[in-house]
Amino acid sequence: MSTTDAETTARPRSRRPVETIVAMHLGFVDAFGFVLLGGFFVSSIEATTTRTGVALGSSSWFVLGLGGAILAGFVVGVVLAAVVGRMWSRRRVPRVLLLTAGLLAAAGALHAVTTTAPPIGFALALAMGAEATLLETGGLLADAARSLTDRLFGRVPRHRWVRYLRLWGAVAVGAAAGAAMYRVLGFGALWVAAGAATLAAYAFRNSPTDPTDAAGPYALES
C-alpha cells in the first residue's frame, strides 16, 4: 500500500471520535432548542427554513420573526467559524468547538436577561452554525441508503454507508439525550451542552487539520 493510500485509509478512522461527538452534540442542542422554542430547530436548518416559509405565506409574524432570527444566527455562526478556521487553520477543530461553547454560554447569559424567543433562538443558532462547519448532518439517513445501494454495485469504498448510519445514529442519540436533559434540568441543560463542547475542545486539541481541505476536515464527502 502506498503512503497516499495509507493516509486515505487512516484518516477516516482518526476522525471517527471527533465527528461522532460533534454529531451527538449537534443533536443534543437541536433537540434542546426544539423543545425550548416550541418546535423550531436550531441546527436542522432546512426544517426551520420550511417553517419560516410557511409562516411567511400564512402571515404568522411572530413565527416568521423567530424563524428569521434562527436563520440569521446560523449564517452568522458559519461566518464566525470560517474566520476562526482561517486564523487557526491547524487547530480548527478545537477552536471552533471553543467558539461553540462560548456562544452557548452567551445564550445562557442572554436568557438571564430576557426569555424572548427570537434573541434566544438567534444565539443558539449562532453556536450551531459554527459547529455545523465541522460536520454537515443533513440527509445522513438518505446518504446511508444511497451509499449502501452504490456499494451493492461496487461504486463506493466498503463501509462508507456504515459511517453515514453511525453519524445519523449519533445525532439521534444526542437528540434523545437533549430532550431528556431538558425535561430534568430545564434551561440548565444548555450549560451541560456548553460544558460538553469545552471538554470536547480539550479532548481534541491535537486533532489534525488538513488546511487544504476547503470543506473542512470533518465534512462529509459528497
Side-chain angles (χ1 to χ4, degrees), residues 141-163:
L141 191 58
D143 287 334
R146 186 179 68 243
S147 294
L148 177 58
T149 303
D150 288 342
R151 176 57 190 165
L152 293 177
F153 291 94
R155 296 176 181 174
V156 298
R158 186 185 307 173
H159 302 320
R160 175 179 287 187
W161 68 273
V162 176
R163 175 172 178 258

Side-chain angles (χ1 to χ4, degrees), residues 32 101-114 120 123-124 187-188 190-191 194:
F32 170 85
L103 292 172
L104 289 174
L110 180 63
H111 185 261
V113 177
T114 178
I120 300 298
L124 290 174
F187 194 84
L190 181 66
W191 297 107

Side-chain angles (χ1 to χ4, degrees), residues 1-189:
M1 179 181 294
S2 68
T3 302
T4 301
D5 291 339
E7 289 175 352
T8 301
T9 302
R11 189 164 173 251
R13 292 181 180 177
S14 67
R15 72 187 179 186
R16 284 177 188 172
V18 180
E19 63 185 13
T20 301
I21 292 299
V22 168
M24 290 181 65
H25 192 262
L26 285 167
F28 185 102
V29 179
D30 209 17
F32 170 85
F34 181 85
V35 177
L36 177 69
L37 299 173
F40 274 89
F41 294 100
V42 293
S43 176
S44 303
I45 211 65
E46 292 84 0
T48 297
T49 301
T50 300
R51 187 162 186 188
T52 303
V54 171
L56 178 61
S58 58
S59 300
S60 301
W61 304 120
F62 176 80
V63 175
L64 177 62
L66 177 54
I70 292 172
L71 295 174
F74 192 89
V75 171
V76 174
V78 170
V79 172
L80 289 176
V83 172
V84 168
R86 288 184 177 275
M87 293 176 66
W88 292 283
S89 61
R90 297 192 178 277
R91 289 291 180 267
R92 175 175 174 267
V93 173
R95 299 295 184 183
V96 170
L97 286 172
L98 280 177
L99 173 64
T100 300
L103 292 172
L104 289 174
L110 180 63
H111 185 261
V113 177
T114 178
T115 57
T116 305
I120 300 298
F122 178 86
L124 290 174
L126 268 177
M128 292 298 91
E131 189 171 27
T133 63
L134 298 180
L135 179 69
E136 174 55 57
T137 59
L140 285 173
L141 191 58
D143 287 334
R146 186 179 68 243
S147 294
L148 177 58
T149 303
D150 288 342
R151 176 57 190 165
L152 293 177
F153 291 94
R155 296 176 181 174
V156 298
R158 186 185 307 173
H159 302 320
R160 175 179 287 187
W161 68 273
V162 176
R163 175 172 178 258
Y164 290 127
L165 193 61
R166 168 173 54 84
L167 293 175
W168 174 81
V171 172
V173 169
M181 195 68 70
Y182 183 87
R183 186 179 305 168
V184 175
L185 299 178
F187 194 84

